[in-house]
Amino acid sequence: MSRQPSTVRTTILAAIAAGSLLSIMVSTADAQENRRRRRGQEEAKPLDLTPEQVASLTKVANDRKLNVDDLLAAAKTFTPSGRHDEYVLFASGGQSGHMFAIGVPSMRLLRSIAVFTPEPWQGYGFAGMDDHAREALKINGTPVTWGDTHHPALSETKGDYDGQFLFIGDKANARLAVIDLRDWETKQIVKNPLTFSNHGAAFVTPDTDYIIEGAQYATVLGYGYALPDQYQKSYRGMATMWKFDRQKGRIDIANSFAMELPPYWQDLADVGKGASDGYFFVNSFNVEMATGSVAKGDPPFEAGASKRDMDYLHIVDWRKAEAAYKAGKAKPINGFPVLSLETSIAEGLLYFAPEPKSPHGVDVTPNGQYMVVAGKLDPHVTIYSIEKVKAAIAAKKFTGTDPFGIPVLDFDAVKEAQVELGLGPLHTQFDDKGYAYTSLFLDSAVARWSLGGEYAPLHAERPWTLVTKTPIQYNIGHLSAAGGDTVHPGGRYLVAMSKWSVDRFLPTGPLLPQNFQLLDISEPGTVMPVIYDLPIGVGEPHYAQMIKADKLQSWKVYPQVGWNSHTQQPDPNAPRPGSEGVIREGSKVLVNMTAVRSHFVPEHVEVNEGDEVTWRITNVETAQDATHGFCIGGYNINLSLEPGEYEEVRFIADKPGTNPFYCTEFCSALHLEMAGYLHVKPASKIGAVTPEGAAAENK
Ligand code: CUK
Ligand code: CUA
């Protein structure tokens, strides 16, 4: 038991009390100033500029070489201290393995969320050997401590973001993660049992019954082996339907299944809604099945995979697939149920529609009526109609099958329109005015174009026509409009996610940040200005989704003290004030610790070299933002204990010596004093190293 001698405690408590008194006095003196600083929370009065104010505004603008457009852009984005953003953009973090939450329109980075990569500030992956995150970050027992995050998906109810969960795929390792938006923490990572690369992930069905994960590079499913001469015979693509259990907040692996697909490189996916509810769509390229064997006289992948004029849009009736799986028609590969190509053909749940040359994005319009496909090597977007697809399937309007026997629909029978936009169209989003927005990678522009068909009455422009383009700096990949892939898009903001920033910011060595550019899309017609540039200097984001901030119901602190954020329940093992101490059983040591401004209890922990230590800490704070950190030097341990949170760390005390531990969050005026010592007694000094001897020694 290591407790503070009572005199020392009394002295410390007196000091803390004196400190608090001082801070109360200071805060009284500063109250007015603080109120002024918090003005962002209050309603602003209507502006009525005096001539003096106009003059000083003009002077600032002239000194900083700002024109009227710049001032307008600033006025549209500047967000006074204390005022909150209207939207939150959840952006993938590319190779950083994280996600970023960015406020819109201020474009302030609110925080990162650690997903596939250990992140010390959040204590993610740094809690010793038994940490949940660390376990989740292993693939077949090997730690894989990064991910290539591409496509975040917010959970949906009836096709609208509901603000409860966030999913993200790891392209490099074919994994999928679940983030709980009550505490913005990663709760689960699942590894696809069939393959090592995904891309069409994550995309949710309109009520988040399933999360779709499509493959990218075909391989031998179930981690098999085959050389390229076996490509057509042995390599396969796939799409996995992960069942989501909303109640548990976890993917239900036991009720998930996959579909075998031909070894075309499946690309992006989107899930039908409204008129197309029950279907999902996946692009593909390399239907040539090029194997890139240059040494054998074949063309390299880039040429071989883009020879043909048409690739295949995969059209999957997922309700039929679900029924086939439930009827026991799936066969296990690597222990995971997979519907074979033969089954999918026999059940009539998989069809192909030709799509122009090397497509990339497929995006379903808000009403679910149309699927927009953008081909990297075709200046058009191609729009398919789900009505026409259904009619063509019913009338068997096929032009034949692919080499695997999958029916190929007649292109002209399912095509609704084609719109010429410019070079390198990639991804499309939608607004509330009947417009679509497509990123043009090679043109470095965002194209606004008018939807036709059912959307034609919404606007005066001709349907299916390019309306305007806004230049982007530079080489835009994805774009994200407010609710831009839901049944109810917003329509004021769009973020262009540019891959290159070149000259936009101060050079940061040869490695430059990506550039998120905010566009004001509120006005119909040809006005669509860029109003903010945000450099992203941590990994290369791909897709992002933008949600109305008031849909998020984050916890301000954990609901109860002693909260286990992995089970999302109070934990019976959580130490409470009064129950702190060190308990030894043989060579096993249990440390029960509490943390509160500005001390840990206990402050000294004595163990023997080789002891197996279980260290439990509860942050007993209930005040918002009263987070404590906890690190032990030399043991690769750092925790973030948010108000009310309980964590358990396990490690072997294999480094003899006296190691300080301390709080890593500057939590209070006496934060530096929030520390203690772990004394690991060297084995040479213990004498008899039997458990009984060690126990006796410890007494
Ligand atoms: S991909 Cu990156 S720009 Cu992974 Cu969605 Cu198109
Ligand atoms: Cu607790 Cu610093």
Side-chain angles (χ1 to χ4, degrees), residues 225-533:
Y225 169 85
L227 287 176
D229 56 352
Q230 299 293 305
Y231 192 87
Q232 188 164 334
K233 181 171 167 282
S234 303
Y235 286 47
R236 288 294 177 269
M238 68 91 204
T240 299
M241 295 195 64
W242 294 104
K243 181 87 181 124
F244 185 61
D245 184 334
R246 197 187 280 264
Q247 219 52 47
K248 293 205 177 98
R250 297 287 191 277
I251 287 169
D252 177 0
I253 298 170
N255 285 301
S256 304
F257 66 98
M259 302 173 59
E260 177 192 18
L261 294 173
Y264 313 143
W265 290 352
Q266 281 81 33
D267 205 27
L268 282 199
D270 200 4
V271 180
K273 50 187 175 252
S276 51
D277 185 23
Y279 289 85
F280 70 81
F281 311 94
V282 189
N283 277 322
S284 66
F285 58 105
N286 196 17
V287 302
E288 295 84 351
M289 295 188 274
T291 57
S293 308
V294 183
K296 294 188 181 146
D298 292 341
F301 278 123
E302 62 171 336
S306 50
K307 256 195 207 151
R308 288 182 34 158
D309 280 339
M310 291 290 191
D311 290 284
Y312 292 133
L313 174 66
H314 299 29
I315 299 164
V316 178
D317 185 330
W318 67 258
R319 291 230 166 79
K320 273 192 185 169
E322 181 187 43
Y325 157 66
K326 286 189 173 162
K329 291 181 179 162
K331 303 243 159 55
I333 297 179
N334 195 18
F336 195 72
V338 181
L339 294 172
S340 69
L341 280 174
E342 297 74 44
T343 303
S344 292
I345 295 164
E347 298 293 317
L349 58 86
L350 174 63
Y351 295 92
F352 286 166
E355 52 185 1
K357 249 182 159 35
S358 299
H360 187 47
V362 52
D363 297 281
V364 177
T365 53
N367 63 2
Q369 211 34 264
Y370 310 106
M371 292 82 75
V372 177
V373 167
K376 294 167 288 201
L377 303 178
D378 182 321
H380 300 85
V381 282
T382 302
I383 298 104
Y384 299 80
S385 148
I386 191 66
E387 291 311 328
K388 291 184 177 178
V389 166
K390 286 178 185 170
I393 291 172
K396 296 201 164 32
K397 275 198 189 155
F398 308 133
T399 53
T401 66
D402 85 327
F404 298 88
I406 296 150
V408 179
L409 297 163
D410 176 38
F411 181 57
D412 291 318
V414 296
K415 182 187 77 180
E416 178 75 24
Q418 285 189 297
V419 185
E420 184 167 346
L421 299 179
L423 298 180
L426 296 184
H427 301 288
T428 299
Q429 293 270 286
F430 305 94
D431 72 2
D432 56 347
K433 297 179 275 289
Y435 291 127
Y437 300 83
T438 299
S439 53
L440 302 176
F441 180 83
L442 296 174
D443 265 359
S444 281
V446 172
R448 168 188 266 176
W449 51 281
S450 59
L451 293 169
E454 294 194 352
Y455 287 96
L458 265 182
H459 42 73
E461 290 92 356
R462 279 191 301 137
W464 309 126
T465 308
L466 175 66
V467 175
T468 191
K469 287 192 214 180
T470 293
I472 287 302
Q473 291 76 31
Y474 302 88
N475 295 87
I476 175 174
H478 274 273
L479 32 61
S480 175
D485 67 345
T486 68
V487 294
H488 295 115
R492 276 175 57 204
Y493 301 114
L494 181 144
V495 173
M497 306 172 77
S498 299
K499 300 293 185 188
W500 291 42
S501 61
V502 191
D503 55 3
R504 293 296 101 170
F505 309 109
L506 282 175
T508 52
L511 181 62
L512 301 183
Q514 328 294 313
N515 188 10
F516 279 11
Q517 292 184 298
L518 181 66
L519 276 73
D520 177 2
I521 57 165
S522 52
E523 245 181 89
T526 56
V527 182
M528 195 169 67
V530 170
I531 54 174
Y532 201 91
D533 277 32

Side-chain angles (χ1 to χ4, degrees), residues 16 58 89 112 218 265 301 326 361 381 456 460 473 551 580 633 674:
I16 293 167
T58 309
L89 181 80
S112 67
W265 290 352
F301 278 123
K326 286 189 173 162
V381 282
Q473 291 76 31
K551 287 194 172 180
E580 300 96 339
M674 193 165 176

Side-chain angles (χ1 to χ4, degrees), residues 11-128:
T11 318
I12 291 172
L13 290 174
I16 293 167
S20 323
L21 202 64
L22 193 69
S23 69
I24 289 166
M25 286 155 63
V26 171
S27 59
T28 311
D30 280 356
Q32 252 179 329
E33 172 68 8
N34 280 340
R35 262 200 295 281
R36 196 183 62 78
R37 283 203 207 122
R38 273 192 227 110
R39 81 198 151 90
Q41 310 275 20
E42 296 150 18
E43 283 295 305
K45 289 197 198 86
L47 261 192
D48 189 8
L49 296 181
T50 63
E52 293 74 30
Q53 287 170 324
V54 172
S56 60
L57 195 60
T58 309
K59 182 177 184 310
V60 171
N62 288 336
D63 288 352
R64 298 202 63 226
K65 299 187 169 57
L66 303 177
N67 64 27
V68 175
D69 287 342
D70 297 331
L71 289 183
L72 266 177
K76 287 174 183 176
T77 55
F78 176 73
T79 305
S81 179
R83 194 171 302 172
H84 296 177
D85 280 299
E86 193 183 340
Y87 287 92
V88 177
L89 181 80
F90 287 103
S92 81
Q95 311 89 326
S96 74
H98 299 322
M99 297 225 28
F100 305 123
I102 293 158
V104 177
S106 75
M107 300 304 276
R108 295 175 296 194
L109 175 65
L110 300 174
R111 66 168 280 190
S112 67
I113 303 170
V115 186
F116 296 109
T117 306
E119 203 286 317
W121 168 61
Q122 296 161 67
Y124 186 78
F126 285 93

Side-chain angles (χ1 to χ4, degrees), residues 196-210:
F196 275 107
S197 75
N198 70 28
H199 198 220
F203 293 90
V204 299
T205 55
D207 283 309
T208 322
D209 298 315
Y210 288 96

